[in-house]
Amino acid sequence: FYLQGSFGYDKEFLKKHYEGTIVLENQDKKASIVLTPELQGRVMTSTLNGDAGTSFGWINYDLIVSGKIKPQFNPAGGEERFWLGPEGGQYSFYFKPHSAFSFENWIVPAPIDTEPFEVIELQNNRVVFKKEMKLVNYSGNSFDIGVKRTVSLLNDQEIAINLNMSGLEVSAVAYETDNQLTNNGYQAWTKE
């Protein structure tokens, strides 16, 4: 049993609501992160002191418990996620073609809001996701996009190297993400 605000609490909460929940952890099981494929492989929270440690991510418990899907955007929370830009303008995927640029018309596309990403590789400290999606931008151009998303939990040596330090003398948790987009269409874009 863990108190709310702890990593263990959030990990168990997410496992209860998302059966695909993934935990990546370092060798001593202190530096850890939780990801959910159902939420586009987003990093929901992290800790540097195991299950009893503080959970650093913000989680929208009420939305997740409700099981409801909002038509505009589903802010489930988390620390880091896959996102596409721009959010406005002629190349935006968040406005239907030729609609007014107003907040009520801004809608996050389902492939990056409510649809799951597929896990294609899983190790103790790394997970790779993929997703195929078709998106239409404000100008009416259609895109077939392949996404490969890799999330890696870094060990102390990797953290020190990334920070250009000789060593790491503090407790730390760090991860990196690599998001690759591939044009799966026959040309750069097609008119719908």
Side-chain angles (χ1 to χ4, degrees):
F1 174 76
Y2 297 100
L3 296 175
Q4 189 167 355
S6 72
F7 183 79
Y9 180 93
D10 284 348
K11 178 177 78 173
E12 293 308 313
F13 174 85
L14 292 165
K15 284 183 174 182
K16 179 179 176 183
H17 293 281
Y18 301 108
E19 67 180 51
T21 298
I22 295 168
V23 178
L24 302 182
E25 52 194 15
N26 68 6
Q27 289 182 336
D28 67 7
K29 301 189 184 310
K30 289 193 174 195
S32 304
I33 62 175
V34 176
L35 305 99
T36 54
E38 294 91 341
L39 295 172
Q40 307 77 51
R42 85 178 66 185
V43 178
M44 292 299 290
T45 190
S46 64
T47 191
L48 51 79
N49 200 23
D51 284 345
T54 300
S55 181
F56 297 130
W58 174 77
I59 296 175
N60 190 341
Y61 302 108
D62 292 339
L63 177 65
I64 293 170
V65 167
S66 78
K68 295 179 182 173
I69 294 178
K70 297 182 174 205
Q72 185 176 27
F73 174 55
N74 290 274
E79 292 182 357
E80 190 276 345
R81 63 168 299 165
F82 177 81
W83 197 255
L84 290 171
E87 290 189 33
Q90 66 186 4
Y91 302 114
S92 172
F93 293 116
Y94 301 83
F95 290 90
K96 289 183 180 177
H98 311 295
S99 62
F101 289 122
S102 59
F103 182 71
E104 57 271 1
N105 291 334
W106 180 84
I107 298 172
V108 178
I112 63 170
D113 187 38
T114 57
E115 295 179 7
F117 279 24
E118 178 186 350
V119 176
I120 59 171
E121 182 184 329
L122 178 59
Q123 300 172 13
N124 289 342
N125 64 342
R126 184 174 103 114
V127 61
V128 182
F129 302 95
K130 80 171 187 174
K131 178 70 176 172
E132 305 290 325
M133 58 183 78
K134 182 173 186 162
L135 299 174
V136 178
N137 70 9
Y138 175 80
S139 297
N141 300 315
S142 178
F143 295 83
D144 292 316
I145 301 169
V147 175
K148 180 180 176 188
R149 173 171 167 75
T150 303
V151 181
S152 303
L153 180 66
L154 304 179
N155 62 35
D156 288 350
Q157 181 181 6
E158 292 166 324
I159 295 170
I161 290 169
N162 279 302
L163 295 175
N164 199 23
M165 299 170 62
S166 59
L168 194 64
E169 298 177 16
V170 296
S171 295
V173 60
Y175 54 88
E176 65 183 7
T177 61
D178 178 38
N179 298 295
Q180 299 175 11
L181 277 71
T182 303
N183 176 6
N184 289 338
Y186 293 106
Q187 55 190 24
W189 58 272
T190 57
K191 215 52 160 159
E192 267 299 89

